[in-house]
Amino acid sequence: MPTQENNDDRIALLQGTLDLLILKTLLLGPCHGQGVARSIQRQSEEVLFVDHGSLYLALQRLEDKNLIHAKWGVSENNRKARFYSLTAKGRAELLEKTSQWKRLTRAMGLILEPQREEG
Amino acid sequence: MPKKKRSAEDFAEEIRSHLELEAEELRSEGFSPEEASRRAHVEFGSVRAAQERFYLRDRIQALDSIVRDLRYALRSLAHSPGFAITAVLTLALGIGANTAVFSVMNAVLLRSLPVSDPDRLVYLRTTNVPKGTGTISSRETFSYPVYQALRDQHSALSDVIAYVPLSVNKVAVRYGSQPEEASGDMVSGAFFTGLGVKIPHGRSFTEQEEKEHAPVAVISYNYWTRRFSRNPGVLGTTLFVNGVGFTVVGISGEGFEGLEAGGSTDFWIPLQSRPELNAYGNAVEDGKIYITNPTWWCLRLIGRLAPGVSKQQAASALNPLFQRAAYIGLGTPAAGERPPTLQFEEARGFPGYSEEYGRPLRMLMAMVGFVLLIALTNVAMLLMARNSTRRREFSMRLALGAGRRDLLRQLLAESLVLVISGGLLAWTFAVLATRALASWAQIEASLAPDRTVLLFALVTLVVAALLFGLAPLRIALSAGPALSLKTSAATSNTEAGRSRAARIMVALQMTLCVVLLVGAGLLIRTLRNLENTPLGLRVEGLVVFGLNPHVTSVPQGKAFYVDLISRLRQLPGVESVTFMEERIGSWSSNNSDMTVDGRLPDVPNGSSRTVRANVVGPAFFTTLGVPVLSGRDFADSDTETSPHVGIINEQFAKRFFPNRNPLGHRIGTEDGRYQMTVVGVVKDHKYRSIDEEPIPMAWYEYAQIPIVGRMDVEMRVHGDPLAILPSARKVVQQLDPNLPLIKPMTQRAQYDLTISSQTLFARLAGCFGVLAVVLVATGLYGTLAYRVNRRTAEIGVRMALGAGRSQVVWMILRDNLLLTAVGVLAGVPLALVMGRALSSSLYGVQPVDALTFALAILGVIIVAFVASAAPASRAAGVDPLKALRTE
């Protein structure tokens, strides 16, 4: 298996986590795609790298599933942009997925660092 | 609520706006405008890739859902392999049998001649022929002078083309040193050019070659393939036909196998004038061959209508010319004689074939269509039964949020899987069955499935797919989501299992089964009758073969046969040997009027004077085993110089010598040239075919008639008749090493050939009948078994409440028996119609044959009982406690 060369500190997102991050970002309020990307990068202290092509497809997928709602509008600096906002279904999904994620990371932590739990 | 799909432009717009927003933000972070824009692009990655992924997303989703549906369908079918296998096999048999019969019908009836502009081609027909002429077919054949006259005009018909076979069956040919047989036609010079048949290798004939009777030949693509392995080197080599050399100058295009349907011509040569190449391989009579004998109407003619001329116009323009030419060499028409009239028949198909096979094939198509109907309803019923047991599954899925469209898609996917696998199997089956059919029917024409056949199969499949996709839907969709909540097996399945559609289908199947069984029964009884028809001769122990010796004069020919017969008689195991000009049981006969005591006999108004004649050797009737009623058989002592003698049959004696002793009276040919004394009367027997009615016949003694050429040798031997052939062949080769035995076979086999189409018809109908019974039985069994299975709980309740086992059995049987009764009642009138339509194909059995009808009805009832027995006994075996506990 070829080792992946990574001279970048940034980590590519795990499959399926992008959706969760988008939903979380939108919880703060409607936002356009570029804002979402920036926000994820910034909030993760530039560790997470968002592939923009994937981001827009993910937005589209979430929209298709009625988890988010999109509307063309005008940005704070008067640019035309497509704004996304959470739907009620999206909120529920976020709650569900977040708790799943927490359980997952806890479980992963238990396995990866068991000693600490012992002490 | 379906959302409007987002356009790719909208998506592109969003990306543009992203890039601008990003660049702006970068500028505000202190980058120069160029650097900001560059960085925004780099950060984004490939815009095009993103757009492509957006574009593909929809399609991948659709594909994904199809794959998912198909996989789900396969899985759910794999859960009930019995059902899946039954359904696929049923479909394959039904569609395959239909495709096979259709491809035969297509080849024989629908496909047009492989010539250019076939709509302008017409077969020439005549209402009758002048008195004193002999024909091959009284409506379809013409004399050489008629052909000449019509050929030389071009106003009404731009081309008139003659063709005539060199032999009734096959003719002796030699390529290299090996004598063999092939079928060949003599044709006009304009044969290929006039018909518009392509000659891809070599060339066709010219009109000059017809006039010169040139020794050139064109071979057919099939013959080229079969005999010469498509070796192009065959061009320019010599093919010997009856010992005469012909240079092969051309190979016809693929698909053209002559103008006679069902047969396939191996080679064509221009019209010849040599006595050894007489039309139909006939012996030369009185030194005359088909060209020089205007009383022998043996040429088949086909013409191409001149541009802008209709059939009627051409006929009225040509009739005066035709009627003049018809009497060339015959003198003036007798007073009151009706002159023949020329007519045209469309040449799009093969007319001779339509008559022989058209009706049977259409009937077969109808029967096999019924089989298909049974097969389709069968699968639909099985599907319905299956789906009705799945109603809870459906309503559960509806309740869980599956859309009706998802359900529909998935049901369609299931039928698609069934239909596609059934269709593939059907095609394989059809190709095999077509091959079997062709060899059964002795159709030599190419039956390879073409585009029409493929289209037919596909349409059938689509209909099947729709039927199966839609029929079960009602049941599936009628199951609302509420059903899963409220019900148990005991109540949810009863009404669906008894749905009206299912009941109609069962009754319909019974109806069709009755019709098919009656049809098959009538045809099989016809075949039995034909097979058991007394021939009037002892056919066992007889073997027959043809010879066409190279003789040029009458004395030479006579010497050959006298020599041959005495040598064959000496072979061990041979009881007697004779020969005949026309092979008996080969459909052909030589018909003419005959004089009795010097004049044409008076016959009652409207009845025929026609007499069938044959020229035969000594001990003819003794060899055949035909009883001589009075007088004697021909003998070796009847020679050219002894008094000329003839023998007649009972019919001849009855019609032309009523209440008189025919012995000693003189009979003769119509022109009065041959006169002979009746020395014997033989019992009527079958002459041309098994299903003929006897007509007056007369036999000439070979030694006393000046004909030479082809004869058929008949031998009566002890033991296996065919076992004598090697030693007979040795004897023949002692006389002429290059002489092949033409169509050697037992006389029984020769007679059986005359009922080959009836045999085929009956066997196929029988197969369809059996197929119908099997299909109906499996269908009935399948649905009933399902139903009993699902009603186990109900039965348990009934038994717990005191119902006896016989009551339970009756409850299960009652429904089926009732439906069977309804089906039979509907089937009987339909079967009567079927019988009426078949009546022309029946022999010795009435269309309304009580026995056949009774057996068919009995058969259907037995099928119903047998198919119901197992499920009913399972129902009776239900243990009420267990049944209730599982619920």
Side-chain angles (χ1 to χ4, degrees):
Chain A
M1 195 175 143
T3 51
Q4 203 162 1
E5 187 158 2
N6 202 353
N7 47 14
D8 198 336
D9 292 346
R10 299 185 300 186
I11 299 170
L13 282 170
L14 282 171
Q15 181 87 40
T17 51
L18 181 56
D19 289 11
L20 183 55
L21 293 181
I22 293 171
L23 293 176
K24 175 70 186 171
T25 307
L26 291 178
L27 189 61
L28 306 171
C31 187
H32 47 69
Q34 189 259 350
V36 172
R38 276 264 165 172
S39 170
I40 291 175
Q41 261 160 281
R42 204 167 294 146
Q43 286 190 23
S44 70
E45 295 166 348
E46 307 285 334
V47 169
L48 293 180
F49 161 69
V50 179
D51 176 73
H52 291 74
S54 304
L55 171 76
Y56 281 99
L57 285 166
L59 284 168
Q60 189 58 46
R61 192 164 57 234
L62 293 172
E63 190 185 339
D64 287 345
K65 287 190 197 158
N66 279 329
L67 298 178
I68 57 178
H69 173 76
K71 204 162 123 192
W72 282 99
V74 179
S75 74
E76 55 270 36
N77 40 21
N78 271 332
R79 295 243 172 228
K80 197 181 164 206
R82 204 161 186 260
F83 280 84
Y84 296 92
S85 54
L86 271 188
T87 61
K89 202 173 167 193
R91 264 170 226 280
E93 177 87 0
L94 178 61
L95 278 178
E96 159 98 30
K97 282 279 154 69
T98 309
S99 88
Q100 264 183 22
W101 179 254
K102 282 188 178 148
R103 272 183 289 155
L104 176 71
T105 47
R106 191 180 113 82
M108 290 292 289
L110 282 176
I111 295 165
L112 293 174
E113 295 172 63
Q115 306 92 326
R116 204 177 278 174
E117 288 297 312
E118 264 176 2
Chain B
M1 189 182 77
K3 229 184 314 177
K4 213 179 137 204
K5 232 167 77 203
R6 196 177 163 199
S7 73
E9 286 76 43
D10 196 72
F11 187 69
E13 175 84 31
E14 185 175 13
I15 290 177
R16 263 200 304 282
S17 105
H18 170 100
L19 293 173
E20 281 167 15
L21 285 166
E22 181 76 17
E24 191 150 310
E25 198 152 340
L26 287 168
R27 270 203 303 280
S28 72
E29 285 168 14
F31 288 100
S32 71
E34 292 76 29
E35 181 62 12
S37 162
R38 195 188 67 80
R39 278 193 172 233
H41 270 99
V42 169
E43 196 73 359
F44 192 91
S46 168
V47 174
R48 170 155 306 174
Q51 284 173 338
E52 270 172 11
R53 277 164 72 191
F54 174 80
Y55 179 77
L56 282 175
R57 189 185 49 101
D58 276 354
R59 278 140 190 85
I60 289 172
Q61 252 177 20
L63 195 69
D64 206 50
S65 70
I66 288 177
V67 170
R68 221 178 28 237
D69 282 341
L70 286 181
R71 270 169 58 186
Y72 188 87
L74 280 175
R75 241 195 348 260
S76 95
L77 287 175
H79 275 305
S80 31
F83 161 78
I85 291 172
T86 313
V88 167
L89 274 183
T90 305
L91 271 179
L93 283 176
I95 295 177
N98 267 271
T99 310
V101 174
F102 181 81
S103 59
V104 174
M105 193 163 110
N106 175 52
V108 173
L109 299 180
L110 304 178
R111 204 186 281 174
S112 52
L113 281 172
V115 297
S116 70
D117 201 8
D119 292 337
R120 301 292 294 165
L121 283 179
V122 285
Y123 284 106
L124 274 64
R125 299 281 183 258
T126 174
T127 50
N128 56 299
V129 290
K131 275 195 172 152
T133 54
T135 64
I136 299 298
S137 154
S138 59
R139 283 204 62 225
E140 300 175 6
T141 49
F142 298 85
S143 68
Y144 190 78
V146 168
Y147 162 60
Q148 264 182 320
L150 295 175
R151 178 192 63 191
D152 294 340
Q153 64 71 44
H154 292 285
S155 53
L157 294 174
S158 51
D159 287 295
V160 174
I161 293 153
Y163 58 102
V164 60
L166 281 159
S167 163
V168 175
N169 295 313
K170 293 196 169 181
V171 63
V173 298
R174 183 162 62 79
Y175 184 80
S177 58
Q178 183 64 34
E180 49 200 291
E181 301 176 346
S183 61
D185 276 9
M186 290 190 284
V187 298
S188 298
F191 185 72
F192 295 105
T193 49
L195 290 175
V197 174
K198 299 252 182 331
I199 307 286
H201 305 275
R203 61 172 181 87
S204 59
F205 303 139
T206 62
E207 307 206 2
Q208 192 61 27
E209 282 172 329
E210 178 190 340
K211 287 198 189 95
E212 290 168 359
H213 312 296
V216 290
V218 168
I219 61 175
S220 77
Y221 182 87
N222 268 2
Y223 189 48
W224 186 44
T225 307
R226 199 175 67 235
R227 174 64 182 79
F228 302 103
S229 319
R230 291 192 208 158
N231 174 11
V234 70
L235 287 174
T237 57
T238 305
L239 179 73
F240 289 92
V241 181
N242 281 344
V244 183
F246 286 85
T247 309
V248 177
V249 297
I251 299 156
S252 75
E254 192 175 357
F256 182 71
E257 296 167 77
L259 294 175
E260 295 298 297
S264 72
T265 310
D266 294 327
F267 67 90
W268 297 269
I269 56 175
L271 293 168
Q272 298 293 314
S273 61
R274 310 171 74 115
E276 59 267 51
L277 295 172
N278 198 5
Y280 284 94
N282 265 27
V284 174
E285 212 164 314
D286 201 15
K288 285 180 177 171
I289 63 163
Y290 72 101
I291 291 187
T292 44
N293 185 356
T295 68
W296 190 28
W297 289 43
C298 67
L299 299 174
R300 291 182 189 274
L301 301 181
I302 189 168
R304 188 176 282 284
L305 292 170
V309 178
S310 74
K311 273 195 297 190
Q312 287 74 16
Q313 287 166 338
S316 53
L318 288 180
N319 254 317
L321 178 69
F322 168 67
Q323 284 165 357
R324 259 197 317 281
Y327 286 93
I328 290 173
L330 299 177
T332 49
E337 185 178 336
R338 195 159 42 92
T341 312
L342 190 64
Q343 295 170 336
F344 298 122
E345 192 173 307
E346 278 185 28
R348 286 195 64 246
F350 301 98
Y353 231 39
S354 312
E355 283 153 31
E356 190 183 348
Y357 285 100
R359 220 184 151 74
L361 269 176
R362 284 197 192 96
M363 292 306 299
L364 277 183
M365 198 68 224
M367 291 175 88
V368 80
F370 286 165
V371 173
L372 181 63
L373 208 54
I374 291 180
L376 292 186
T377 48
N378 227 357
V379 179
M381 261 163 52
L382 285 175
L383 267 171
M384 277 165 67
R386 182 174 134 83
N387 285 345
S388 73
T389 64
R390 291 165 75 193
R391 285 177 94 200
R392 295 176 80 201
E393 175 200 332
F394 292 145
S395 60
M396 182 68 82
R397 292 177 54 192
L398 285 175
L400 288 180
R404 270 160 203 261
R405 272 176 51 175
D406 297 326
L407 220 52
L408 180 114
R409 262 217 328 263
Q410 188 224 314
L411 285 175
L412 280 177
E414 266 179 38
S415 19
L416 203 66
V417 169
L418 287 180
V419 166
I420 286 177
S421 30
L424 288 178
L425 207 59
W427 189 255
T428 325
F429 175 64
V431 170
L432 294 178
T434 310
R435 227 172 279 159
L437 264 179
S439 70
W440 255 0
Q442 282 150 353
I443 296 170
E444 288 171 16
S446 161
L447 290 183
D450 62 3
R451 226 177 305 151
T452 326
V453 176
L454 193 63
L455 194 71
F456 172 85
L458 285 179
V459 168
T460 320
L461 278 177
V462 168
V463 170
L466 287 178
L467 184 66
F468 302 153
L470 299 181
L473 278 184
R474 248 191 44 207
I475 289 180
L477 296 184
S478 70
L483 190 64
S484 67
L485 304 175
K486 72 168 192 210
T487 139
S488 76
T491 53
S492 69
N493 296 295
T494 45
E495 81 267 41
R498 284 183 191 167
S499 85
R500 180 180 290 173
R503 296 167 65 99
I504 291 176
M505 281 195 210
V506 170
L508 176 70
Q509 287 199 328
M510 292 303 174
T511 303
L512 294 177
C513 200
V514 169
V515 175
L516 280 171
L517 286 181
V518 166
L522 289 175
L523 290 169
I524 287 170
R525 288 204 63 192
T526 294
L527 182 61
R528 281 284 120 73
N529 288 342
L530 285 170
E531 282 171 345
N532 297 331
T533 300
L535 297 176
L537 49 96
R538 281 192 300 128
V539 77
E540 280 67 36
L542 287 176
V543 63
V544 64
F545 58 85
L547 287 177
N548 198 356
H550 303 162
V551 292
T552 46
S553 71
V554 174
Q556 194 192 351
K558 297 206 160 122
F560 174 87
Y561 284 109
V562 167
D563 194 9
L564 177 77
I565 205 170
S566 68
R567 282 170 194 249
L568 287 175
R569 274 176 185 163
Q570 282 157 21
L571 288 176
V574 172
E575 200 173 303
S576 61
V577 184
T578 187
F579 50 90
M580 55 207 157
E581 187 193 12
E582 251 169 14
R583 183 184 290 203
I584 54 175
S586 67
W587 276 117
S588 52
S589 69
N590 204 340
N591 303 340
S592 63
D593 292 356
M594 285 184 83
T595 58
V596 173
D597 291 326
R599 59 186 200 87
L600 284 175
D602 298 322
V603 286
N605 220 3
S607 73
S608 167
R609 201 185 275 142
T610 302
V611 174
R612 206 171 263 165
N614 202 358
V615 178
V616 299
F620 183 69
F621 299 102
T622 321
T623 307
L624 291 186
V626 174
V628 178
L629 297 176
S630 61
R632 65 172 176 90
D633 196 353
F634 291 127
D636 289 339
S637 55
D638 293 314
T639 64
E640 204 176 345
T641 48
S642 69
H644 288 191
V645 292
I647 291 176
I648 60 174
N649 68 351
E650 286 174 283
Q651 286 289 322
F652 193 113
K654 250 182 241 157
R655 184 158 313 169
F656 303 122
F657 297 106
N659 309 319
R660 280 187 292 168
N661 182 358
L663 295 185
H665 283 276
R666 293 182 68 73
I667 58 174
T669 54
E670 197 182 358
D671 58 13
R673 294 188 48 193
Y674 300 109
Q675 293 290 327
M676 52 200 178
T677 308
V678 177
V679 294
V681 178
V682 297
K683 208 165 165 47
D684 288 337
H685 55 277
K686 299 293 179 184
Y687 180 71
R688 296 190 328 149
S689 63
I690 292 181
D691 57 350
E692 70 178 10
E693 293 299 317
I695 77 163
M697 281 207 64
W699 288 267
Y700 299 82
E701 218 300 319
Y702 170 75
Q704 301 173 343
I705 295 286
I707 63 168
V708 293
R710 188 197 150 126
M711 286 281 158
D712 275 289
V713 177
E714 185 93 61
M715 302 172 74
R716 176 170 292 284
V717 298
H718 301 292
D720 177 16
L722 292 179
I724 200 73
L725 284 174
S727 44
R729 189 171 283 123
K730 232 172 264 163
V731 169
V732 170
Q733 279 169 355
Q734 282 165 13
L735 294 173
D736 181 345
N738 284 339
L739 209 53
L741 305 188
I742 299 168
K743 292 229 162 180
M745 59 175 86
T746 64
Q747 189 60 55
R748 175 83 241 178
Q750 180 64 57
Y751 272 110
D752 283 346
L753 281 181
T754 65
I755 54 166
S756 60
S757 73
Q758 289 97 326
T759 310
L760 174 74
F761 201 11
R763 281 184 187 164
L764 278 182
C767 285
F768 296 157
V770 171
L771 202 55
V773 165
V774 171
L775 288 178
V776 166
T778 48
L780 204 57
Y781 169 80
T783 36
L784 204 59
Y786 252 113
R787 228 187 285 170
V788 169
N789 221 5
R790 304 310 301 181
R791 284 171 80 180
T792 309
E794 180 201 338
I795 292 166
V797 171
R798 284 173 189 266
M799 287 176 116
L801 291 177
R805 297 200 183 272
S806 61
Q807 271 169 297
V808 169
V809 170
W810 175 239
M811 177 184 87
I812 296 296
L813 282 182
R814 187 183 53 201
D815 223 26
N816 268 7
L817 295 186
L818 195 69
L819 291 176
T820 306
V822 170
V824 166
L825 281 182
V828 167
L830 212 59
L832 287 172
V833 175
M834 175 78 149
R836 176 97 36 87
L838 279 174
S839 58
S840 70
S841 306
L842 300 182
Y843 181 83
V845 50
Q846 290 303 310
V848 191
D849 182 55
L851 182 64
T852 309
F853 273 73
L855 283 177
I857 292 169
L858 192 67
V860 171
I861 292 173
I862 289 174
V863 167
F865 259 111
V866 169
S868 316
S873 81
R874 188 163 347 131
V878 165
D879 178 349
L881 280 179
K882 224 186 247 171
L884 291 174
R885 214 175 291 133
T886 48
E887 185 53 29

